[in-house]
């Protein structure tokens, strides 16, 4: 009995009843270091090999992502019976699984963005410079174009007769429906990226390095399950651009603006929500 009373007493000392809340909790003793905001422009980056290495990593990651995911889509849509293929669930796993693997592989080199919307959201949060953001987006788009091009090269007939993996708003849905689906889907993805890579969480979960890529890949998987029937799921402007350019049919371009506006708006909302509401960055005391 005495042992139990001692446990209770120690617990009361370690975990006092009155815990700090709101901004008071955020200025309490930290066990992590908040990274300084990135400069808007960093000309010195252009003379660094690590800058170009990061861009190459983004290119290769996006190339592999589009190659495997679009190839999976082609395998499903060319079949008369979806029961003989991996189906929508398999397509969702393909996109989510590749993001998980590629973020894990490239996070230490480029941050593992693989998506202009993610890059845009992190830019708004001052996690990288404008110089790096523009370079990343260019390399991501080039990687996506090459990935889709290789898929078309392997099976041109199947590719051209089955939509080429291009994103379009499905019949029965309006452009507003598609735009909303892209905004919400990208919000979920980018919010997950911010949460999984947060300095506070990273410091406490550093002993488990797969924790950041895992929820990011899982978010991509879940969003695809929900929105494949609506837009084919973009949430990644590079993915949508690469498929549209290689497929290059009129209907692939009719709704293409949705797959840029929606993800960029969703990314901006996620950045504001995480930085202003969740982390209360503008309201922190300067110490």
């Amino acid at each position: 009995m005495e042992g139990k009373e001692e446990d209770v007493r120690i617990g009361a000392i370690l975990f006092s009843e009155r815990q700090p809340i709101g901004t008071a909790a955020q200025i309490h003793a930290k066990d992590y270091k908040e990274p300084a905001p990135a400069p808007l422009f960093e000309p010195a980056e252009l003379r660094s090999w690590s800058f170009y290495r990061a861009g190459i990593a983004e290119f290769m990651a996006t190339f592999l992502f589009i190659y495997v995911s679009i190839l999976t889509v082609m395998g499903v849509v060319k079949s008369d019976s979806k029961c003989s293929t991996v189906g929508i669930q398999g397509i969702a796993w393909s996109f989510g699984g590749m993001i998980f693997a590629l973020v894990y592989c490239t996070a230490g080199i480029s941050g593992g963005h693989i998506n202009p919307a993610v890059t845009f959201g992190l830019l708004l949060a001052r996690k990288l410079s404008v110089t790096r953001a523009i370079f990343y987006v260019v390399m991501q788009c080039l990687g996506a174009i090459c990935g889709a091009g290789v898929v078309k090269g392997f099976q041109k007939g199947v590719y051209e007769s089955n939509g080429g993996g291009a994103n379009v708003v499905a019949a029965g849905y309006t452009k507003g429906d598609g735009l909303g689906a892209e905004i919400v889907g990208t919000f979920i993805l980018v919010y997950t990226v911010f949460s999984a890579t947060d300095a506070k969480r990273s410091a406490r979960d550093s002993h488990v390095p797969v924790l950041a890529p895992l929820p990011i890949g899982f978010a991509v998987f879940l969003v695809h399950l929900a929105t494949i029937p609506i837009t084919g799921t973009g949430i990644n402007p590079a993915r949508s651009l690469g498929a549209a350019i290689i497929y290059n049919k009129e209907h692939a371009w009719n709704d293409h603006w949705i797959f840029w506006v929606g993800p960029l708006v969703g990314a901006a909302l996620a950045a504001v929500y995480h930085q202003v509401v969740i982390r209360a960055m503008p309201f922190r005391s300067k110490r």
Side-chain angles (χ1 to χ4, degrees):
M1 192 68 181
E2 290 181 1
K4 291 184 178 179
E5 290 177 354
E6 180 68 8
D7 290 342
V8 171
R9 186 183 68 80
I10 293 174
I13 293 172
L14 292 178
F15 306 102
S16 59
E17 184 177 348
R18 298 185 62 186
Q19 296 292 327
I21 60 175
T23 53
Q26 296 167 350
I27 61 175
H28 206 56
K30 291 182 178 180
D31 60 354
Y32 67 97
K33 184 177 180 181
E34 199 73 56
L40 285 178
F41 296 97
E42 188 62 43
E45 288 184 316
L46 300 175
R47 299 189 297 272
S48 169
W49 165 243
S50 63
F51 175 79
Y52 297 99
R53 180 183 63 182
I56 293 169
E58 287 293 309
F59 171 88
M60 283 302 301
T62 312
F63 168 81
L64 294 172
F65 170 60
I66 298 303
Y67 168 74
V68 171
S69 55
I70 298 298
L71 205 57
T72 305
V73 171
M74 292 298 99
V76 171
V77 298
K78 74 176 184 179
S79 177
D80 295 330
S81 172
K82 298 299 181 285
C83 294
S84 62
T85 69
V86 295
I88 287 180
Q89 293 88 348
I91 293 174
W93 273 121
S94 174
F95 279 89
M98 282 301 292
I99 288 296
F100 167 56
L102 294 168
V103 170
Y104 180 80
C105 291
T106 60
I109 303 170
S110 66
H113 298 190
I114 322 173
N115 185 336
V118 171
T119 300
F120 180 64
L122 294 173
L123 172 65
L124 294 181
R126 299 289 302 277
K127 303 292 186 183
L128 73 166
S129 67
V130 173
T131 314
R132 186 174 290 266
I134 293 173
F135 185 47
Y136 277 16
V137 170
V138 170
M139 296 302 280
Q140 289 158 1
C141 290
L142 290 175
I145 293 168
C146 291
V150 170
V151 174
K152 182 177 180 179
F154 281 167
Q155 40 184 271
K156 185 174 182 179
V158 172
Y159 186 88
E160 292 189 339
S161 61
N162 289 283
N167 290 119
V168 296
V169 177
Y173 293 96
T174 66
K175 294 184 187 298
D177 295 333
L179 182 62
E182 289 297 305
I183 291 173
V184 175
T186 311
F187 178 92
I188 293 169
L189 169 59
V190 178
Y191 177 43
T192 303
V193 170
F194 273 108
S195 298
T197 59
D198 187 274
K200 188 173 184 179
R201 185 183 302 275
S202 297
R204 296 174 184 178
D205 297 340
S206 58
H207 59 291
V208 190
V210 299
L211 279 185
L214 183 58
I216 294 170
F218 201 61
V220 171
F221 164 68
L222 293 174
V223 170
H224 275 76
L225 283 182
T227 60
I228 282 176
I230 304 173
T231 61
T233 310
I235 67 171
N236 184 333
R239 172 258 187 273
S240 301
L241 179 66
I245 286 178
I246 299 301
Y247 183 56
N248 199 29
K249 297 291 195 315
E250 183 179 355
H251 70 274
W253 293 107
N254 290 339
D255 302 327
H256 187 69
W257 64 272
I258 290 173
F259 302 100
W260 281 88
V261 174
L264 295 181
V265 170
L269 292 174
V272 171
Y273 177 67
H274 185 268
Q275 297 295 97
V276 177
V277 178
I278 300 301
R279 294 302 307 279
M281 290 293 187
F283 311 112
R284 294 191 169 200
S285 305
K286 303 294 183 184
R287 296 198 300 171

